[in-house]
Amino acid sequence: MTSPLAAPTAQPTVARLSVHGLEVRYGEALAVAGVDLEVAAGTAVAVLGANGAGKSSLAAAIVGAVPVARGRVHIDGTDVTAWAAHRVARLGIAFVPEGRGIFPHLSVADNLRALLRAAVEPAERADALGRALSTFPVLRDRARQLAGTLSGGEQQMLALARVLAAPPRLLVADEMSLGLAPKLVDLVFESLARAKAQGVTILLVEQYVDRALELADTAVVLRQGRVDWHGPSTEAREHAVSGYLGGG
Ligand code: ATP
């Protein structure tokens, strides 16, 4: 299998992410309780923590997929707090949410076209679509099938293909490898590494802690919505483990 990122694409301009005092609430519940985070342009950060620690909520708030109760999100110095998700996406920010974020009532090919319309110049779209489909032959075979009727793993491949067909400036990936067979997990991490080599800034929430830390430059361990530890990924493992054992 080849990655679509191996194909020549416009070099993305790297994006820097800054998060200050971020809070996310669901009713009375405080899921993210004042998080500060700096992700330098072209680097990868792994966001770790127990179930319920607030990882998905943090990722979703950064890209405008859930409301920010307090705090600020800046991308390259632009304050994007409270921007609608589609407006954030137009800055070249790609979000792969846990649960995939595909359009179940569109075909596989139309799902890919929908992303490419927002992310790729018209003249390059056909090539990008071809690259996405050739990376995942199963998607080519099922190009006309409704995405909602794909298997779980196939849906995850579609979510990945959507992102990789048009390398973003910042990729916010929440459990991208969830439910994938080991070979496809390898493909996810290879693709992420290649994206990083191309200068894509990455925020990664991952169940495969060791693999996430291999890719990441820095790591953040969340506990009950707060930053429990942050530092270089090479030092993160023991803190991550105590974070997981300590509960959310
Ligand atoms: P996991 O690893 O299990 O996916 P997580 O670290 O990603 O967990 P979140 O999904 O962000 O954690 O959840 C943080 C807290 O917010 C949890 O207590 C969760 O129950 C709660 N929560 C998340 N989404 C909602 C929602 N839509 N409504 C109410 N509470 C929510």
Side-chain angles (χ1 to χ4, degrees):
M1 261 185 281
T2 57
S3 163
L5 290 171
T9 48
Q11 190 70 16
T13 322
V14 289
R16 172 170 51 90
L17 171 68
S18 303
V19 172
H20 295 292
L22 195 76
E23 287 186 11
V24 176
R25 287 178 184 275
Y26 302 105
E28 291 295 297
L30 191 57
V32 177
V35 165
D36 294 324
L37 180 64
E38 292 290 332
V39 189
T43 68
V45 61
V47 179
L48 308 172
N51 292 127
K55 305 180 298 291
S56 296
S57 301
L58 171 65
I62 287 169
V63 298
V66 299
V68 171
R70 187 176 285 185
R72 311 309 306 171
V73 178
H74 289 88
I75 293 171
D76 285 334
T78 301
D79 189 342
V80 301
T81 321
W83 282 24
H86 64 87
R87 195 171 163 210
V88 176
R90 269 194 243 117
L91 288 180
I93 316 305
F95 178 43
V96 183
E98 193 176 3
R100 304 173 185 109
I102 61 172
F103 302 113
H105 302 298
L106 292 184
S107 71
V108 166
D110 285 343
N111 262 275
L112 292 168
R113 286 192 191 101
L115 174 88
L116 297 174
R117 207 171 299 131
V120 180
E121 295 299 316
E124 294 168 18
R125 284 180 199 155
D127 279 355
L129 181 64
R131 286 200 301 277
L133 291 174
S134 61
T135 305
F136 299 100
V138 67
L139 296 181
R140 184 184 292 284
D141 296 343
R142 293 171 184 277
R144 281 198 283 277
Q145 185 172 328
L146 290 184
T149 66
L150 294 172
S151 76
E154 288 165 354
Q155 289 188 26
Q156 197 66 339
M157 282 184 241
L158 175 57
L160 181 61
R162 273 180 51 173
V163 168
L164 297 184
R169 299 170 65 230
L170 167 66
L171 172 60
V172 176
D174 188 358
E175 303 282 15
M176 227 166 161
S177 60
L178 197 69
L180 293 186
K183 253 188 157 167
L184 286 167
V185 174
D186 289 345
L187 180 63
V188 166
F189 280 96
E190 278 165 29
S191 302
L192 288 171
R194 205 161 293 148
K196 185 164 177 260
Q198 288 195 335
V200 178
T201 308
I202 299 173
L203 184 146
L204 189 63
V205 178
E206 255 301 331
Q207 57 175 337
Y208 293 100
V209 171
D210 286 328
R211 299 195 70 167
L213 292 176
E214 236 171 78
L215 179 94
D217 302 284
T218 59
V220 171
V221 179
L222 295 185
R223 192 195 290 254
Q224 295 182 339
R226 293 191 166 80
V227 175
D228 193 48
W229 183 87
H230 70 103
S233 57
T234 48
E235 295 170 19
R237 202 172 189 290
E238 59 181 290
H239 300 280
V241 170
S242 72
Y244 281 79
L245 295 177

